[in-house]
Amino acid sequence: MLNSAAMPTFSVIIPTRNRARTLREAIPTVLAQTDGDLEVIVQDNASPDDTRAVVLSFDDPRIVYRRSDHPLSMHDNWAAALEAARGEWIIVIGDDDALLPDACAQAKKIIAATGARLLTWVAAVYGWPCHDAPEFRNMVQVLLGDGWEEISCRQVLEELYTRRRGWIGAPSIYHGFVHRSVIDTARGRAGGRYFFDLQPDIGATLTNLFCAKEYVKSLEPLSIAGWSRGSNGGRGQTPEAMRAMLKRLAAEAGQTIESWTVLSDTRLAGMETMMLGTLANVRITLGISADSDAAPPVPADERSVLRCVMRDPGGISVPFDEWKQAILEHAERLEMEIDPATLVLPPAPRHHAGFSADGEGYLRQIRLDAGRLGCNSLGDAVQRIAAILRNYRVNPAAVRSSLWPVDPVLRRGQCL
């Protein structure tokens, strides 16, 4: 469907499978960019619904529609889309996500000012009305800021590998612009592949950090992460695939996964174990050995692995008591002193409407029930969030005062 031979500045990739309903609202947010120097690649992962009809209904020459004949793994589907991308800068968004109207224009401005090769931000959030959890339906969350900052990739790698920070704000191709030169560097190190991990968004984040010296983080969001029913984030992350990744970590230490019983204990299988596998898989695939100067600190023995696993009891897939018993059994076997009282399940987060501020009192985040403001769709959320950000640039205090009278619950910080 794309007829122009000119290479666009931006390639916006939207992988999708059987979610025509949300895709119908995601595509217009890309086509409506104030800077239209882009292409939209919709990579249909063998959807049995009317995805094709939805895409063709837009009749826009900037859209490239591609469909696989059979279901692919998540990272293979993303890789197929990347092969078709012609832009200088690549970004991936979900089929329930959105770009804010001036995302590409703002990106061009920041790139021109900084010479960045990686540009990221903390996406705003919109809970679709169809979300399984009632408290998230029509919820809007926006992190407010202005300008940008330059961040060392090495510093972030060390914090990630020692699990001292999370993934939010790190330079992913998912809700982030990646220059083609970074992708080419990664392909040169990984046998022609850029997406090779089971978690392509997180895997690509690590790959970007290894293949660049620094990245730029916009303090203003350029996109919206949609939370809806039927996310594909967990597809392909089977226990067998996790086990294959973890084998590589143990093998590098001259051992086997069977000898590292922490990794083979199903009671400890959870997000933290998955993260360990991803951290190892990306580093090894890029040809970076554990003793290399380029390698960040990594778990080198089973005790280190157990300490990492202990950090995230909230991501486990078994009852907490079983997880705790497994930790204590492995600690005893490894002659580690662990106080059972320190192994506690963190309380479930409570989601409040309201504002948060930094230490000096400046407004930093808004979280509100957007249904009270007439917001009932992704398109509504785009307009509402864009208006908030536009007004914040001019007068931050006005944003606060304009919202409070409309939704008094914000003053009390009550749950949504």
Side-chain angles (χ1 to χ4, degrees):
M1 297 174 61
L2 187 70
N3 300 317
S4 174
M7 184 179 76
T9 298
F10 300 104
S11 290
V12 183
I13 294 174
I14 308 179
T16 188
R17 174 167 168 77
N18 202 27
R19 278 153 62 88
R21 178 169 176 255
T22 59
L23 182 66
R24 191 189 306 273
E25 295 192 41
I27 292 175
T29 72
V30 183
L31 299 179
Q33 288 296 296
T34 57
D35 185 324
D37 183 12
L38 56 86
E39 65 178 356
V40 188
I41 299 175
V42 180
Q43 186 68 34
D44 181 358
N45 196 1
S47 297
D49 66 0
D50 59 344
T51 292
R52 177 182 176 85
V54 166
V55 177
L56 297 182
S57 70
F58 289 100
D59 192 25
D60 191 306
R62 294 173 295 173
I63 297 178
V64 179
Y65 174 69
R66 294 164 52 87
R67 185 183 188 278
S68 59
D69 294 330
H70 58 277
L72 303 173
S73 67
M74 187 175 177
H75 63 282
D76 284 339
N77 194 50
W78 287 32
L82 185 61
E83 287 300 316
R86 301 182 304 123
E88 182 181 2
W89 291 84
I90 320 291
I91 182 174
V92 176
I93 64 171
D95 54 13
D96 58 355
D97 298 338
L99 288 184
L100 289 166
D102 59 353
C104 291
Q106 285 287 95
K108 275 189 178 180
K109 172 185 173 182
I110 296 172
I111 290 164
T114 63
R117 287 295 176 265
L118 295 170
L119 174 61
T120 191
W121 55 88
V122 177
V125 174
Y126 172 63
W128 281 65
C130 61
H131 197 286
D132 292 326
E135 64 268 26
F136 290 126
R137 294 172 188 165
N138 276 325
M139 179 272 292
V140 161
Q141 180 172 295
V142 188
L143 190 65
L144 300 171
D146 191 20
W148 57 81
E149 58 185 359
E150 298 180 17
I151 302 173
S152 163
C153 289
R154 172 70 188 197
Q155 174 187 335
V156 174
L157 273 172
E158 291 186 356
E159 292 173 351
L160 283 170
Y161 272 80
T162 53
R163 311 303 289 128
R164 288 183 286 122
R165 67 162 290 161
W167 302 96
I168 295 177
S172 179
I173 196 170
Y174 184 62
H175 290 275
F177 288 106
V178 177
H179 192 266
R180 185 169 290 277
S181 62
V182 177
I183 295 172
D184 290 343
T185 297
R187 284 171 162 167
R189 295 182 182 182
R193 297 170 297 166
Y194 178 72
F195 295 120
F196 49 80
D197 193 79
L198 293 176
Q199 304 177 99
D201 52 344
I202 293 177
T205 300
L206 290 170
T207 299
N208 294 339
L209 288 167
F210 274 119
C211 294
K213 292 184 178 180
E214 61 184 16
Y215 67 92
V216 174
K217 177 183 176 183
S218 170
L219 301 181
E220 176 181 314
L222 304 185
S223 63
I224 300 174
W227 292 359
S228 67
R229 181 182 299 145
S231 170
N232 286 328
R235 290 187 184 273
Q237 297 174 1
T238 64
E240 293 75 18
M242 283 179 58
R243 188 175 177 83
M245 284 200 305
L246 295 171
K247 278 184 176 180
R248 303 185 72 179
L249 177 63
E252 190 179 55
Q255 302 179 48
T256 65
I257 192 171
E258 286 73 23
S259 66
W260 279 24
T261 53
V262 168
L263 296 181
S264 58
D265 190 332
T266 57
R267 294 173 296 175
L268 300 181
M271 284 306 298
E272 188 64 34
T273 313
M274 173 71 82
M275 291 301 104
L276 284 172
T278 296
L279 292 167
N281 188 48
V282 171
R283 177 177 53 79
I284 297 170
T285 300
L286 293 175
I288 301 170
S289 62
D291 57 358
S292 166
D293 290 340
V298 296
D301 54 43
E302 199 173 6
R303 291 186 176 189
S304 299
V305 171
L306 185 62
R307 291 190 187 98
C308 288
V309 172
M310 288 169 53
R311 293 193 179 112
D312 187 27
I316 59 178
S317 55
V318 298
F320 175 71
D321 288 343
E322 291 184 29
W323 177 87
K324 182 175 181 179
Q325 182 61 34
I327 292 290
L328 295 175
E329 289 175 5
H330 288 295
E332 182 178 7
R333 177 177 57 82
L334 296 170
E335 299 181 349
M336 298 171 60
E337 292 187 6
I338 295 178
D339 182 358
T342 64
L343 301 176
V344 296
L345 186 64
R350 298 185 67 200
H351 303 285
H352 295 274
F355 301 94
S356 64
D358 64 13
E360 298 179 353
Y362 290 103
L363 185 62
R364 283 294 173 258
Q365 181 169 282
I366 293 175
R367 188 185 184 102
L368 62 141
D369 179 353
R372 297 171 181 262
L373 306 178
C375 179
N376 294 293
S377 69
L378 182 64
D380 291 343
V382 168
Q383 296 305 313
R384 171 60 60 180
I385 292 174
I388 290 172
L389 294 173
R390 186 167 54 248
N391 293 336
Y392 183 79
R393 293 176 201 153
V394 178
N395 188 345
V399 173
R400 182 169 185 163
S401 62
S402 66
L403 285 173
W404 275 26
V406 176
D407 192 0
V409 72
L410 296 177
R411 300 195 192 112
R412 301 192 296 273
Q414 295 181 358
C415 291
L416 296 178

